[in-house]
Amino acid sequence: MSTCATASRDAAEPVAGTSATARTWLLVEQTGPWGTEALTESHLDPRIGRALEAAADGTGVRVALIRRPGRHADCHGSTARLVFLAHTAPGRSWMRTATITDPEALLSLDFVRLGAGEHDGLWTPYTGDPLVFVCTNGKRDRCCALLGRPLAAELAVSGTEAWEITHIGGHRFSPTLFVLPYGYAYGRASAPLVKDAVESARSGRVLLDHCRGRSTWARPAQAADLAVRELIREDRADALDAVRTEAVPPPDPGEAPVTPAWAVTVAHRDGRSWRVTVEQRTDGAPAPASCGLPLRRPARMAVLSVRALPGPTSSPAPS
């Protein structure tokens, strides 16, 4: 097994609370090679790539390039390409798709409304099987190519709706991926695990094994959501929502906190809710932040407590 594979699989760092953050994903098919900064270092016109980055900044939309697994033809020019839009908020998730020939048309999208979950009837609803996006951006991190590309190819051969995708963070957890429509990400994944995750998503559920979190939320809320799910054994994807995240002030108001901490309120659709205290720590085992880099102690989300809040005592909704 390669050095990067060993580092990825043997790392002691938990994966919960490490997903990339995106309420809405804009995924643009782009064949050919991808550079380190794929939006501006690929066969996508770099002017358009820069403009897409600027348009999405601060809106909750994350733009990434995708391609089918396998050999990547060096296609230049104006070829037809698939695009996907996916909003991942619990209870309001949707996916839309289109085929375009001119990616510059994407600059006319209203990124603020898309980030807020409003598609305004744009394009066509996506009604197919859940989609899997495996990070394979080897220029950004060679582990993503060495481990991600074989996984994407294996999934595609098996009939899974799999795509390769540019950087989605968490190289040290390679192979890493996320599944739409719900936006839950996974790390240190294998083909059987991904197939289970897809089957879960097909029935409106989330697989908790190796789950990094739902991209809808910032990392403290991702960790809180997974902690409550583990506690109450809840796997229905839209049953929980992280409705509030507040920074926990230090004991002495005049001092900065030694470690950042948050209080996250997680609500169940049956009326129950929990207060989850999450702290950012760097006390885990050293691990490389990226394949081939020196060891360091990466920041992680540690759940300190999960406390049920007073409220309705209704029974959980039937599955």
Side-chain angles (χ1 to χ4, degrees):
M1 182 177 285
S2 69
T3 301
C4 66
T6 302
S8 174
R9 294 189 181 281
D10 293 346
E13 182 188 359
V15 301
T18 65
S19 175
T21 300
R23 292 193 302 273
T24 302
W25 291 89
L26 172 58
L27 306 171
V28 184
E29 185 177 10
Q30 178 59 59
T31 58
W34 297 334
T36 302
E37 301 296 334
L39 281 178
T40 55
E41 297 175 2
S42 69
H43 288 166
L44 179 69
D45 183 335
R47 176 185 61 84
I48 296 174
R50 284 190 293 271
L52 286 172
E53 287 182 322
D57 186 40
T59 66
V61 178
R62 183 167 177 140
V63 185
L65 303 183
I66 60 173
R67 63 192 178 195
R68 288 292 191 183
R71 294 180 61 86
H72 304 125
D74 245 358
C75 295
H76 291 270
S78 219
T79 58
R81 64 188 77 202
L82 275 172
V83 289
F84 296 99
L85 269 169
H87 187 67
T88 62
R92 299 195 303 116
S93 57
W94 47 257
M95 291 184 66
R96 316 284 290 188
T97 187
T99 300
I100 64 172
T101 55
D102 181 7
E104 188 163 12
L106 299 173
L107 298 177
S108 66
L109 297 177
D110 188 333
F111 284 83
V112 172
R113 284 187 62 77
L114 292 173
E118 303 298 335
H119 59 68
D120 298 322
L122 181 71
W123 302 346
T124 301
Y126 176 78
T127 57
D129 276 348
L131 299 176
V132 175
F133 298 90
V134 182
C135 182
T136 63
N137 194 353
K139 291 293 185 181
R140 189 72 177 249
D141 187 291
R142 68 176 181 267
C143 284
C144 293
L146 291 172
L147 301 176
R149 291 197 67 189
L151 175 61
E154 182 179 354
L155 292 170
V157 168
S158 73
T160 301
E161 286 292 326
W163 292 80
E164 297 185 7
I165 190 169
T166 52
H167 177 60
I168 57 172
H171 315 296
R172 61 193 181 278
F173 304 123
S174 296
T176 184
L177 56 96
F178 68 93
V179 181
L180 291 176
Y182 303 113
Y184 277 96
Y186 296 86
R188 305 183 186 123
S190 64
L193 180 137
V194 178
K195 291 171 186 175
D196 287 345
V198 169
E199 188 58 38
S200 295
R202 188 178 288 120
S203 59
R205 298 176 183 271
V206 53
L207 180 72
L208 298 182
D209 190 19
H210 289 232
C211 190
R212 297 176 60 194
R214 190 167 186 160
S215 72
T216 313
W217 307 302
R219 293 179 178 182
Q222 294 173 14
D225 166 64
L226 294 176
V228 173
R229 289 184 178 281
E230 292 282 2
L231 177 67
I232 66 173
R233 300 183 180 276
E234 177 60 79
D235 67 352
R236 288 168 293 179
D238 285 341
L240 297 181
D241 193 359
V243 296
R244 186 178 304 106
T245 300
E246 302 169 298
V248 175
D252 185 338
E255 296 181 0
V258 177
T259 55
W262 300 266
V264 182
T265 302
V266 176
H268 197 289
R269 67 187 184 192
D270 67 11
R272 292 178 293 166
S273 60
W274 296 262
R275 180 183 173 93
V276 184
T277 304
V278 181
E279 186 176 77
Q280 180 175 297
R281 292 184 173 179
T282 55
D283 56 358
S290 195
C291 196
L293 292 183
L295 296 178
R296 65 175 182 82
R297 295 187 184 275
R300 66 183 181 91
M301 294 293 117
V303 174
L304 305 185
S305 64
V306 181
R307 178 170 61 89
L309 296 175
T313 58
S314 58
S315 300
S319 20

